[in-house]
Amino acid sequence: MSVKVRFAPSPTGLIHVGNVRIALMNWLFARREGGVFLLRVDDTDLERSTKAFEDQIVEDLHWLGLGFDERFNQSDRFDLYEAAREKLVATGFLYPCYETEDELDRKRKLQRAQGKPPVYDRAALNLTDADKAKFEAEGRKPHWRFKLSGGRIEWNDLVRGPSHIDTSSVSDPILIREDGSYLYTLPSVVDDLDAGITHVIRGEDHVTNSAAQIEIFEALGGKGSAPHMAHFPLLVGSDGEKLSKRIGGLSVKALREEEGMEAMAILSLLAKLGTSDPIEARADLASLASELDFSKVSRTPARFDFAEMERLNAKLLHEAAFDAVVARLRALGIKGDEAFWLAVRPNLSRLKDAADWWRLVEGPVAPVIEDADYAAKAAVLLPEGNLTRESWGAWTSAIKAETGRKGRDLFLPLRQALTGQNHGPEMDVLLPLIPRETVLARLAGKSI
Ligand code: GLU
C-alpha cells in the first residue's frame, strides 16, 4: 500500500507549535514510508479564511523544511461536496431538520433535567412531507444531519490503540447548516476519499469526529474505505495549562522572527514531546523520520516547555557548521569568517546574538577609558604576534604582575576600553577576533 497523508490547517490564523506537531508527524510518517504528503487548505469558512494566512502557512512549512508533494484548497471543491450531499440524501443518510437553536437548547435542557445524555432525539426523521412543506412555508430552512448507525464503531488507533465509540451516545452530526454552508466533517471525508488518504494523523480533539467520519466514509466509499487513524494527545503548557493562552507567542512566525528559534530546535522538540524517547537536538529531519515510532507516544497530554526548546536551539547552534549559517550571518550584516563563527558559536543561544559580537569586532566602538595611564601600560604589555585564545590570560597576568591590580580593577578597564561596555562577551574569545591595531587604538581611546 502506498502511503498518503495530509496536513489540513484552516487559514484562519497563524500556525503554532500544536499545528506544527501534527504537520511534522504527518510529514515524518510520509517520509519514513516513502509516501506522499498533501497540504489540504481547509478554507470552506469563506469569511474567516484569508489568502494571507494561507500564504503564511505555506511559508512557515517551507521554512520548517516540511515541504509538501501536493496541495489543494477545499474552497475549489464545492462541486464534490455537493455531489456527496446528493448521494447521502438519496441513500437516506442525510436528513433535513428544522429545529431552531432555541428549540434544540430546550430539548437538551429537558434531557439533562431527566438525567439523560443530551443526544439529538431524531424527531426530524418522523417529519412528513406536509410537515416539511409547512416549515418551508414559514420561511424555515433545514440544516442536515447524518444518520449514525447507532452501533459501535471500532478502530485500531495508531497512537491510542484499540478505540471505540458507541454512536448511540452521540448526536447525529450536522453536516450542512441552514445557510447551506458545510461544517468541516463532510468535506474532510470527501477529500480524504478523493485523494486516497491512507492515514489520518491529527489531534485528539477529533476523536469524536472519527466515529461519525468512519460511518460517512463507509456511506460514501463503501465498507473498509476509512483510512487508518492516529490521534495525538494535545499539547499543554509546562504548567499543565491549555496552550491556547499564549499561543500567539508560539506561532511559527513569532518563534522564527521574534524568538530567533532554529527550525530544527522546534522540530526536534515536537517530534519527541510526550514520547518515551529522550528529547535531543537533531540536525535534520531524516534522523527524526528514522526515529519515528507512534507506539512510543504517551496517552497523556504532552507538556510544551519553552526553556527546553531554547536549550535545543543553543545546542544546534553550538554544533552548526559555518557553511550552514554563513548566508544568515551575511543577512544579519555579519562579515565574520569561519574563525569568527567557531569562536562565538559556543556562546550563542540565538543566531542573531552573533551580531552583538560582530559589532564589537568590526566597530566602531567608543572606548571608555577612566585611567589613561593604566590603558597605556596595558597596551605595552599586549602579547606579541597573533592574538589567540590564550592571549587574554597571558596579557592580564602580565598586567597584574606589573600593576599589582586584581579582580574588577584589573579586568573592567580593559573590557571598557575594548568594548565600551561594562558587560558583554567573554574577553578571551573576543580579544583574538579584534585586529591587533584596533585593540591598541581602542586602548589609546580612539573610536574604531
Ligand atoms: N481543519 C481541521 C483542523 O485543523 C482538520 C482536521 C483533520 O485533520 O481532519 O482541525
Side-chain angles (χ1 to χ4, degrees):
M1 176 181 66
S2 67
V3 160
K4 188 162 178 182
V5 292
R6 84 302 194 274
F7 172 52
S10 301
T12 55
L14 297 172
I15 52 168
H16 52 74
V17 290
N19 309 119
V20 173
R21 179 157 168 263
I22 297 302
L24 174 64
M25 292 306 166
N26 276 286
W27 193 96
L28 293 175
F29 189 74
R31 170 82 180 244
R32 195 191 69 189
E33 301 295 325
V36 171
F37 177 62
L38 161 76
L39 172 65
R40 186 183 88 197
V41 181
D42 281 7
D43 57 353
T44 51
D45 183 342
L46 300 173
E47 255 157 45
R48 289 176 56 230
S49 302
T50 71
K51 181 80 173 80
F53 282 131
E54 178 180 340
D55 291 346
Q56 188 65 53
I57 290 169
V58 170
E59 185 183 326
D60 289 347
L61 289 176
H62 280 131
W63 177 73
L64 288 162
L66 305 178
F68 38 84
D69 309 301
E70 293 175 17
R71 164 187 183 177
F72 64 74
N73 285 49
Q74 288 197 318
S75 60
D76 291 333
R77 300 164 61 87
F78 284 112
D79 288 357
L80 279 153
Y81 311 146
E82 210 44 41
R85 185 185 74 83
E86 279 165 20
K87 181 168 179 184
L88 292 177
V89 171
T91 46
F93 281 106
L94 199 59
Y95 62 96
C97 304
Y98 290 86
E99 293 93 343
T100 62
E101 226 0 273
D102 272 353
E103 285 164 353
L104 289 172
D105 214 37
R106 255 178 279 134
K107 281 190 190 199
R108 285 190 289 258
K109 282 198 180 118
L110 198 66
Q111 285 168 313
R112 282 204 196 88
Q114 294 167 346
K116 292 187 195 149
V119 174
Y120 177 60
D121 63 6
R122 292 184 161 173
L125 279 179
N126 302 324
L127 295 176
T128 62
D129 284 348
D131 295 331
K132 292 179 201 167
K134 188 168 155 273
F135 282 133
E136 303 269 350
E138 284 171 16
R140 292 205 195 195
K141 292 255 178 298
H143 55 272
W144 298 79
R145 289 190 191 258
F146 179 81
K147 200 164 110 202
L148 294 168
S149 67
R152 183 176 154 113
I153 297 295
E154 296 180 348
W155 74 94
N156 195 5
D157 198 287
L158 269 58
V159 170
R160 296 162 61 87
S163 304
H164 69 270
I165 286 185
D166 280 312
T167 61
S168 60
S169 66
V170 283
S171 297
D172 287 344
I174 299 173
L175 301 189
I176 303 170
R177 301 183 187 91
E178 272 96 22
D179 65 2
S181 64
Y182 291 90
L183 281 98
Y184 138 86
T185 326
L186 177 63
S188 183
V189 171
V190 170
D191 287 334
D192 287 344
L193 270 175
D194 184 63
I197 296 300
T198 57
H199 295 74
V200 167
I201 303 168
R202 60 186 174 187
E204 205 175 61
D205 48 334
H206 286 290
V207 167
T208 36
N209 287 335
S210 290
Q213 286 185 325
I214 288 172
E215 293 206 334
I216 300 172
F217 270 109
E218 303 204 329
L220 289 172
K223 197 114 199 92
S225 62
H228 298 283
M229 304 265 175
H231 291 93
F232 276 76
L234 298 183
L235 286 189
V236 294
S238 50
D239 47 10
E241 287 216 12
K242 268 205 159 147
L243 214 52
S244 52
K245 294 210 173 129
R246 47 171 310 204
I247 212 71
L250 295 176
S251 68
V252 178
K253 190 170 192 280
L255 292 179
R256 174 176 75 236
E257 291 175 4
E258 284 150 43
E259 304 292 348
M261 288 298 124
E262 301 294 308
M264 281 314 300
I266 303 172
L267 299 173
S268 296
L269 177 61
L270 293 175
K272 299 298 172 65
L273 206 60
T275 75
S276 53
D277 275 341
I279 293 172
E280 288 163 350
R282 294 283 180 267
D284 54 58
L285 281 158
S287 328
L288 292 177
S290 66
E291 293 163 4
L292 183 73
D293 186 349
F294 287 174
S295 71
K296 290 183 175 171
V297 179
S298 145
R299 300 271 317 253
T300 53
R303 283 177 185 241
F304 181 86
D305 184 356
F306 203 90
E308 183 108 57
M309 185 172 55
E310 290 180 300
R311 179 180 69 74
L312 295 170
N313 202 65
K315 184 91 197 313
L316 286 164
L317 289 174
H318 300 173
E319 289 164 2
F322 180 62
D323 283 350
V325 296
V326 60
R328 291 166 63 204
L329 295 179
R330 298 298 179 254
L332 288 166
I334 301 170
K335 297 188 215 93
D337 59 6
E338 182 164 18
F340 168 81
W341 172 248
L342 295 179
V344 303
R345 71 177 184 180
N347 305 282
L348 302 178
S349 45
R350 286 162 169 78
L351 184 96
K352 61 185 174 191
D353 297 345
D356 298 339
W357 288 78
W358 180 247
R359 232 171 281 126
L360 298 176
V361 172
E362 190 185 42
V365 162
V368 174
I369 311 263
E370 279 164 14
D371 181 342
D373 253 16
Y374 179 68
K377 271 193 198 130
V380 173
L381 294 168
L382 189 67
E384 294 294 329
N386 255 351
L387 297 174
T388 66
R389 193 66 194 263
E390 281 67 49
S391 302
W392 175 254
W395 187 28
T396 51
S397 301
I399 302 170
K400 184 177 179 180
E402 175 79 18
T403 63
R405 290 201 192 198
K406 50 185 192 260
R408 189 185 155 85
D409 288 346
L410 171 68
F411 298 114
L412 185 63
L414 302 175
R415 177 183 287 283
Q416 288 176 328
L418 297 183
T419 71
Q421 300 166 4
N422 291 343
H423 304 281
E426 300 298 323
M427 292 304 293
D428 59 337
V429 179
L430 182 66
L431 182 64
L433 298 174
I434 309 176
R436 191 185 173 82
E437 318 77 72
T438 306
V439 172
L440 293 171
R442 287 181 190 171
L443 286 166
K446 287 197 198 99
S447 285
I448 180 172

